[in-house]
């Protein structure tokens, strides 16, 4: 936050009451340990060398023993003014040059972006500044009212961490070992962290800015989603096709064919009465897509504003440093083709190709393992459906109320969804470690490259892990089943699942509800409840040991460590949620509402846990949300296809429209006007029970004097010259589905790209600020250099002229 000068700092002094604590290192005193090991002396020697080198680099250290545990030592680190100035120049940190003197511009889009801003009466805006990369030679040109406030606490901690990450502690076989991270990994230090402070941190700031922006978008989508849901709820009993299914004189007289081999029985169509009332909302789909487009476009504008306000516009090119892990592996010497100078790299061109090949192969291997687990769930569904079909009717003793809801399909769907959720949570833990190992082996050069690489891998894993079961239900289940006389088998053994006569939409909604709801509950338990319980136990034990006043640094030490990946998991959680909200919104209109409720809690819980339950993160600059931005854009584009296909192939909307406009009236229908009456009878094909093969013929005897049963498909009846082949209705429906997908995609994509074109990524106000800042840097800093050069040249010229004059001046007599 270089643009906004932080004046009121939390001042945490040394014992002298003057110097500020910029970082804290924690270790255990080996002399106080009861179990001494042989490596304690080596660890102590490395630590002493490391701290000596820190002092040589200008840092000031002060050790303090814990008031709760005498063997724990806290080393308080302070960076004096000279060190801050030196490393601010090395790190190209931008600092205040002069106050912002531009007037606020009015924009046509301000009315919309104002909806996503905090009321200025709640949080008053602070003074903005133009900034420039710090240089000591131009110190007088910077806006320095108070030296203690010039470098805010976040900047001071960044500088100190930069030094801690690059100071050497040992040399082994001519290889330097350095960095606080390795000392933490080997246990030489127990912890290293800055103290909690009121100053903002860019990485956390960009996360909460994005999360707040996304949550505000969900408000609009949730209102429309609830409206569509309520409309469908109130109108469900007025649907003609649903009335026919529930009518005992229509649906009650339709006997459906068994849905599995031998053990399944014939069943009555009225069993699916409730599921037949569920339908998709095309209006909600269109509204959500365009809302998501507006969100992504206006977020680009807001992100550009934050990039300027937080001095990250040119961050990647000027300021980001090489990762210490990368520097430690730089053992190969190559010649830079640009500078023609030698430089060190961790691998040759051939070695880089080998690493990329191995990492890519590992990623695809683990994705295939995820797919294998999904296949296992599918096999479970196929197997357990046989069990429920054979045993469920006997267990419920023919109770009609239960039978109406607890069908074999429902029982299979719910149990499979629960098992799928458990498998997803277990696999997440495994694939998290795998993705980190692969990325560490890949050895990215900078922290941004590391996070983007890890983000891509983790999202690929999570995408397949979370969404694969939903894709199976939406696009594969019930699509390749054949017909009762010639069913299709999975793996040559298991008969493919069929959907209800109304489609698989309700089952897809059940799957989504269990995964989304279970994921939200699990994440809150894991991210909030567990750290709170651990800290509560720790405080209780500390209070039992001592009644002394515990200093701030010791309180922070007993909080939970934040982890090396920081806010990575928060971003991942929200982007996965964004996928659920957009990819399957056609089947789950309440998804935006559930996401909104979750995010309203998430924002406050994340803020609470990061400030009270976890140690402070090391402040890092973030130019944007990284790889998450293109991932969300990709999800938004893919969502158009998935929802169009859900409407076309998973729901029954297209067959209903085809029947209404073509098959309810002549030449195909017998009604005099367009109507939905007769839809159910027209869309259920007829099968002669004498055509069952021995392998699929049901054990249960046929009841009544019926010789046929019905099944969900569009085929000619027995006795027709093309019996059991697809009829003309089928080809009309297929053509209508393909036409719907093409037209819908083109309309939505056209509006989407039109909105993207109309809304500029960077507002004119931000462009003016950037130009004004560059002008000031040119004027104040570079012209000062030119004045110094002119002044120096002028002095030299004067001396030359004086020499010439003295040479040619006539001698006086």
């Amino acid at each position: 936050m270089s643009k906004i000068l932080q004046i009121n700092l939390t001042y945490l002094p040394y014992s002298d009451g003057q110097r500020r604590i910029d970082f804290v290192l924690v270790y255990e005193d080996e002399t106080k340990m009861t179990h001494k090991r042989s490596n304690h002396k080596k660890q102590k020697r490395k630590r002493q060398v490391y701290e000596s080198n820190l002092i040589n680099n200008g840092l000031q250290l002060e050790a303090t023993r814990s008031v709760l545990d005498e063997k724990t030592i806290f080393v308080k680190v302070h960076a004096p003014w000279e060190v801050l100035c030196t490393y601010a120049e090395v790190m190209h940190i931008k600092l205040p040059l002069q106050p912002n003197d531009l007037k606020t511009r009015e924009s046509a889009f301000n009315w919309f972006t104002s909806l996503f801003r905090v009321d200025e009466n709640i949080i008053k805006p602070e003074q903005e500044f133009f900034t420039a990369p710090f240089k000591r030679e131009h110190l007088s040109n910077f806006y320095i009212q108070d030296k203690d406030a010039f470098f805010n606490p976040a900047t001071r901690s960044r500088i100190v961490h930069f030094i801690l990450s690059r100071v050497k502690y040992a040399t082994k076989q001519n290889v330097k070992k350095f960095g606080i991270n390795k000392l933490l990994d080997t246990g030489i230090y127990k912890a290293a962290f800055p103290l909690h402070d009121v100053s903002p941190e860019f990485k956390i700031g960009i996360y909460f800015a994005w999360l707040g922006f996304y949550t505000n978008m969900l408000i609009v989508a949730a209102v429309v989603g609830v409206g569509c849901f309520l409309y469908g709820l109130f109108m469900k009993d007025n649907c003609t096709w649903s009335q026919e299914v529930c009518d005992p004189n229509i649906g009650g007289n339709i006997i459906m064919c068994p849905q599995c081999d031998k053990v399944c029985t014939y069943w009555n169509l009225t069993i699916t009465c409730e599921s037949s009332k569920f339908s998709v909302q095309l209006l909600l789909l269109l509204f959500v897509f365009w809302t998501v487009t507006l969100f992504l476009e206006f977020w680009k504008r807001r992100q550009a504003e934050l990039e300027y306000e937080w001095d990250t516009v040119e961050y990647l090119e000027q300021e980001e440093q090489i990762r210490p892990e990368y520097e430690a592996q730089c053992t190969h010497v190559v010649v830079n083709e640009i500078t023609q100078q030698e430089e060190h790299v961790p691998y040759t061109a051939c070695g880089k190709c080998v690493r990329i090949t191995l990492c890519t192969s590992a990623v695809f291997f683990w994705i295939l393992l995820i797919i294998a687990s999904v296949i296992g769930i599918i096999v479970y569904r196929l197997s357990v459906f046989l069990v429920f079909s054979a045993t469920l009717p006997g267990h419920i003793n023919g109770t009609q109320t239960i039978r109406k809801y607890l069908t074999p399909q429902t029982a299979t769907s719910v149990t499979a969804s629960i098992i799928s959720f458990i498998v997803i949570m277990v696999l997440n833990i495994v694939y998290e470690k795998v993705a980190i190992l692969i990325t560490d082996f890949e050895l990215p050069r900078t922290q941004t490259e590391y996070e983007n690489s890890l983000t891509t891998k983790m999202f690929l894993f999570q995408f397949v892990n979370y969404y694969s079961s939903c894709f199976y239900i939406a696009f594969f289940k019930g699509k390749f089943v054949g017909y009762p006389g010639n069913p299709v088998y999975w793996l040559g053994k298991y008969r493919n699942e069929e959907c209800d006569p109304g489609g698989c939409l309700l089952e897809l909604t059940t799957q989504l509800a269990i995964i989304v709801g279970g994921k939200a509950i699990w994440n809150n338990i894991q991210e909030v409840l567990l750290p709170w319980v651990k800290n509560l136990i720790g405080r209780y034990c500390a209070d039992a040991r001592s009644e002394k006043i515990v200093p701030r640094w010791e309180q922070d030490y007993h909080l939970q460590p934040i982890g090396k990946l920081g806010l990575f998991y928060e971003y991942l959680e929200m982007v996965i949620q964004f996928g659920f909200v957009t990819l399957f919104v056609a089947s789950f209109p309440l998804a935006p509402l559930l996401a909104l409720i979750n995010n309203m809690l998430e924002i406050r819980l994340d803020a609470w846990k990061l400030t009270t339950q976890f140690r402070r993160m090391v402040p890092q600059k973030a130019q944007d949300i990284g790889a998450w931005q293109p991932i969300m854009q990709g999800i938004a584009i893919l969502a158009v296809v998935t929802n169009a296909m859900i409407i076309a192939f998973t729901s029954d909307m297209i067959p209903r429209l085809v029947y209404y406009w073509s098959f309810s009236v002549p030449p195909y229908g017998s009604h005099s006007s367009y109507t939905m009456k007769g839809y159910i009878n027209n869309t259920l094909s007829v099968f002669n029970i004498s055509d069952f093969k021995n392998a699929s013929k049901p054990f249960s005897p046929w009841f009544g004097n019926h010789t046929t049963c019905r099944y969900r498909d569009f085929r000619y009846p027995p006795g027709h010259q093309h019996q059991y082949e697809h009829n003309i209705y089928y080809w009309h429906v297929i053509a209508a589905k393909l036409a719907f997908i093409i037209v819908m995609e083109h309309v939505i994509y056209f509006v989407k790209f039109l909105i993207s074109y109309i809304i500029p990524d960077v507002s004119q106000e931000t462009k003016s600020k950037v130009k004004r800042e560059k002008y000031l840097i040119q004027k104040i800093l570079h012209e000062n250099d030119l004045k110094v050069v002119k002044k120096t040249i002028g002095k030299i010229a004067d001396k030359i002229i004086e020499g010439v004059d003295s040479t040619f001046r006539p001698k006086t007599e």
Side-chain angles (χ1 to χ4, degrees):
M1 186 176 163
S2 300
K3 291 285 186 298
I4 300 174
L5 192 62
Q6 184 72 29
I7 302 298
N8 297 321
L9 304 178
T10 300
Y11 200 69
L12 298 170
Y14 269 44
S15 57
D16 58 13
Q18 300 295 324
R19 293 172 293 172
R20 190 185 190 283
I21 300 175
D22 298 316
F23 227 87
V24 177
L25 308 178
V26 186
Y27 68 90
E28 291 186 347
D29 187 357
E30 292 83 357
T31 60
K32 300 291 184 178
M33 293 184 181
T34 55
H35 303 285
K36 295 185 178 181
R37 296 186 302 218
S38 58
N39 64 340
H40 282 170
K41 290 184 178 180
K42 293 182 179 179
Q43 289 186 345
K44 184 177 181 180
R45 184 164 57 252
K46 290 179 180 178
R47 186 171 59 250
Q48 289 174 342
V49 172
Y50 181 73
E51 292 180 358
S52 176
N53 289 335
L54 289 178
I55 295 173
N56 293 336
N57 276 269
L59 297 180
Q60 298 175 0
L61 311 181
E62 181 180 89
T64 303
R65 195 172 293 276
S66 168
V67 299
L68 300 176
D69 185 0
E70 62 176 6
K71 68 175 180 291
T72 302
I73 305 296
F74 294 91
V75 179
K76 294 173 284 186
V77 183
H78 170 75
W81 172 261
E82 293 297 323
V83 173
L84 294 173
C85 291
T86 300
Y87 282 92
E89 186 170 357
V90 171
M91 298 170 66
H92 304 282
I93 294 177
K94 300 178 76 173
L95 293 167
L97 200 60
Q98 75 170 46
N100 182 1
D101 55 4
L102 290 177
K103 295 182 179 179
T104 303
R105 281 176 170 266
E106 292 297 329
S107 171
F109 302 107
N110 282 356
W111 66 271
F112 186 84
T113 56
S114 63
L115 299 175
F116 300 89
R117 304 290 183 87
V118 178
D119 189 353
E120 294 184 358
N121 295 323
I122 299 176
I123 301 179
K124 294 183 179 180
E126 300 182 18
Q127 186 178 12
E128 292 187 2
F129 289 81
F130 294 116
T131 62
F134 181 78
K135 290 186 178 181
R136 296 191 66 174
E137 59 195 62
H138 299 144
L139 185 62
S140 60
N141 298 120
F142 285 90
Y143 190 84
I144 305 177
Q145 291 186 324
D146 182 2
K147 280 189 175 182
D148 293 331
F150 185 60
F151 294 99
N152 63 40
T155 303
R156 298 176 67 99
S157 297
R158 284 179 58 212
I159 292 174
V160 173
H161 185 260
F162 179 86
I163 300 172
L164 294 175
S165 300
R166 284 159 177 79
V167 167
K168 184 185 71 172
Y169 63 86
T171 303
K172 187 176 181 180
Q173 297 178 351
N174 295 326
V175 177
K176 294 181 180 180
K177 295 186 176 182
F178 57 88
I180 187 63
N181 290 336
K182 289 188 176 180
L183 293 173
L184 291 171
D185 292 338
T186 56
I188 295 177
Y189 284 100
K190 298 300 179 184
F193 55 90
L195 297 177
H196 276 295
D197 202 283
V198 296
S199 65
E201 297 176 13
F202 309 101
K203 198 148 194 154
I204 292 180
I206 195 73
Y207 165 71
F208 280 104
W210 170 78
L211 181 56
F213 210 84
Y214 167 50
T215 303
N216 282 331
M217 181 274 293
L218 287 174
I219 295 175
V220 185
V223 170
V224 178
V226 172
C228 292
F229 175 79
L230 293 176
Y231 173 81
L233 186 65
F234 292 135
M235 299 298 294
K236 67 177 182 177
D237 293 327
N238 297 328
C239 298
T240 304
W241 60 87
S242 178
Q243 291 174 352
E244 291 184 349
V245 172
C246 301
D247 190 342
N249 297 321
I250 300 176
N253 292 327
I254 297 177
I255 305 300
M256 302 296 294
C257 298
Q259 292 185 317
C260 65
D261 294 338
K262 296 184 178 181
V263 297
C264 290
T265 62
Y266 300 95
W267 52 285
N268 197 285
L269 182 62
T270 53
I271 292 176
T272 63
C273 174
E274 295 302 317
S275 63
S276 67
K277 298 176 182 179
F278 195 82
S279 61
V280 296
Q281 298 288 344
L282 182 59
L283 177 63
L284 171 65
L285 179 62
L286 297 174
F287 187 87
V288 168
F289 279 149
W290 293 329
T291 302
V292 167
T293 301
L294 289 173
F295 157 67
L296 292 174
E297 293 305 315
F298 279 106
W299 168 246
K300 291 179 184 177
R301 289 170 62 88
R302 178 58 179 156
Q303 188 170 257
E305 294 175 6
L306 295 176
E307 285 180 15
Y308 171 77
E309 292 176 6
W310 294 345
D311 290 321
T312 59
V313 175
E314 300 174 350
Y315 164 61
L316 293 180
E317 292 80 7
Q318 293 185 358
E319 195 174 333
E320 187 168 24
Q321 306 296 325
I322 298 174
R323 295 173 63 238
E325 294 82 357
Y326 181 92
E327 288 181 323
Q329 300 294 327
C330 290
T331 56
H332 297 277
V333 179
V334 297
V335 178
N336 189 306
E337 61 180 8
I338 305 300
T339 62
Q340 295 298 312
Q341 295 181 352
E342 290 186 349
E343 60 181 27
H344 291 78
V345 295
Y347 35 66
T348 60
C350 180
K352 185 176 181 178
C353 292
V354 171
R355 284 176 181 263
I356 293 175
T357 303
L358 292 176
C359 291
T360 305
S361 302
V363 169
F364 281 109
F365 171 76
W366 284 99
I367 288 177
L368 290 176
L369 285 183
I370 300 175
I371 296 175
S373 68
V374 174
I375 294 175
I377 298 294
I378 295 174
V379 172
Y380 165 82
R381 298 173 68 99
L382 299 175
S383 303
V384 80
F385 180 74
L386 299 175
V387 178
F388 284 130
S389 298
T391 61
L392 194 57
H395 288 173
I396 62 177
N397 296 321
T399 305
Q400 292 300 320
T401 304
I402 301 177
R403 189 75 175 95
K404 186 166 70 170
Y405 297 100
L406 191 59
T407 63
Q409 292 93 337
T410 304
T412 301
S413 176
V414 172
T415 56
S417 298
I418 294 173
I419 293 174
S420 178
F421 169 72
I422 295 172
V423 171
I424 286 171
M425 293 297 105
V426 172
L427 291 180
N428 279 349
I429 298 173
V430 177
Y431 296 138
E432 170 193 327
K433 301 183 183 300
V434 171
I436 293 174
L437 288 175
I438 295 174
T439 308
D440 288 342
F441 178 76
E442 189 179 303
L443 202 62
R445 184 172 181 270
T446 64
Q447 185 64 24
T448 298
E449 292 176 2
Y450 181 90
E451 291 178 357
N452 289 343
S453 178
L454 181 62
T455 297
T456 304
K457 295 179 182 63
M458 280 293 289
F459 181 75
L460 284 175
F461 290 154
Q462 301 277 15
F463 184 90
V464 179
N465 199 18
Y466 276 109
Y467 303 139
S468 53
S469 58
C470 297
F471 274 96
Y472 164 73
I473 296 173
F475 306 125
F476 295 98
K477 183 183 176 182
K479 305 300 184 296
F480 313 99
V481 296
Y483 62 96
N486 186 27
V488 177
Y489 291 88
W490 178 269
L491 303 176
K493 181 180 180 181
Y494 300 99
R495 180 170 167 176
N496 279 2
E497 289 184 282
E498 296 183 31
C499 294
D500 285 332
C504 288
L505 208 59
L506 182 59
E507 186 173 348
L508 177 59
T509 304
T510 303
Q511 178 84 5
L512 289 169
I514 291 176
I515 293 179
V516 173
K519 176 177 173 292
I521 295 172
W522 172 260
N523 286 338
N524 286 324
I525 291 175
Q526 190 177 28
E527 296 176 7
V528 178
L529 185 61
L530 291 181
W532 179 76
V533 171
K534 290 180 181 178
N535 290 334
L536 189 65
I537 295 173
R539 285 194 295 269
Y540 175 79
C541 296
D543 292 341
R545 290 198 304 264
S546 174
E547 295 182 356
K548 298 179 181 178
I549 298 176
V550 180
R552 176 64 175 275
W553 51 85
E554 193 159 353
Q555 294 177 23
D556 284 12
Y557 171 65
H558 289 293
L559 298 177
Q560 299 301 305
I562 192 65
K564 293 181 179 180
L565 298 179
L567 295 169
F568 174 83
Y569 298 107
E570 275 70 24
Y571 276 115
L572 180 62
E573 177 186 352
M574 290 296 104
V575 172
I576 292 295
Q577 180 202 89
F578 179 78
F580 280 118
V581 170
T582 55
L583 290 173
F584 307 102
V585 69
S587 64
F588 195 20
L590 292 181
L593 176 64
L594 296 180
L596 174 63
I597 295 172
N598 177 79
N599 287 10
M600 292 176 68
L601 295 173
E602 185 79 18
I603 291 175
R604 285 150 183 80
L605 288 175
D606 282 349
W608 172 77
K609 81 178 181 185
L610 289 173
T611 55
T612 64
Q613 303 302 308
F614 286 88
R615 297 173 193 157
R616 186 183 183 184
M617 290 178 60
V618 176
Q620 296 180 11
K621 280 200 172 184
Q623 188 178 32
D624 46 39
I625 60 174
W628 300 115
Q629 179 80 19
I631 285 175
M632 286 194 299
Q633 291 173 337
I635 290 175
I637 294 174
L638 179 62
V640 178
V641 180
T642 58
N643 284 280
M645 294 181 67
I646 286 174
I647 291 176
F649 294 107
T650 307
S651 76
D652 227 20
M653 190 182 82
I654 301 300
R656 292 168 188 167
L657 292 175
V658 171
Y659 176 81
Y660 182 84
W661 292 108
S662 298
F663 284 81
S664 65
V665 295
Y668 301 109
S670 59
H671 297 280
S672 59
S673 61
Y674 298 111
T675 180
M676 287 302 297
K677 292 181 179 180
Y679 169 76
I680 293 299
N681 186 64
N682 192 271
T683 54
L684 292 177
S685 299
V686 180
F687 179 76
N688 194 322
I689 62 174
S690 62
D691 293 333
F692 272 120
K693 294 180 181 179
N694 291 330
S696 56
K697 190 172 183 179
F699 291 142
S700 60
W702 177 248
F703 56 90
N705 56 359
H706 295 276
T707 59
T708 61
C709 60
R710 310 296 289 271
Y711 61 98
R712 186 175 185 265
D713 208 341
F714 307 106
R715 296 177 183 268
Y716 289 112
H720 193 277
Q721 60 177 347
H722 299 294
Q723 67 174 5
Y724 302 136
E725 294 181 8
H726 287 120
N727 57 23
I728 189 67
Y729 193 173
Y730 171 83
W731 299 111
H732 274 73
V733 169
I734 290 295
K737 288 180 176 181
L738 295 177
F740 171 80
I741 291 174
I742 293 172
V743 172
M744 180 181 169
E745 286 181 357
H746 280 71
V747 169
I748 292 179
Y749 283 145
F750 173 76
V751 176
K752 175 181 173 62
F753 292 123
L754 183 64
I755 293 173
S756 302
Y757 176 78
I758 292 174
I759 302 175
D761 292 347
V762 183
S763 66
Q764 188 60 44
E765 182 180 2
T766 303
K767 289 180 181 178
S768 299
K769 289 180 180 179
V770 172
K771 291 178 181 179
R772 173 67 173 164
E773 183 172 276
K774 289 183 177 180
Y775 169 76
L776 289 175
I777 294 174
Q778 180 74 25
K779 179 181 178 181
I780 297 176
L781 300 185
H782 296 176
E783 288 186 3
N784 283 349
D785 290 340
L786 186 61
K787 289 179 181 179
V788 172
V789 172
K790 286 182 178 180
K791 186 176 181 180
T792 304
I793 294 176
K795 290 180 180 179
I796 295 174
D798 291 339
K799 289 182 180 180
I800 293 175
I801 292 172
E802 290 178 1
V804 172
D805 289 344
S806 62
T807 302
F808 293 98
R809 187 179 298 129
K811 294 182 180 180
T812 56
E813 296 181 358

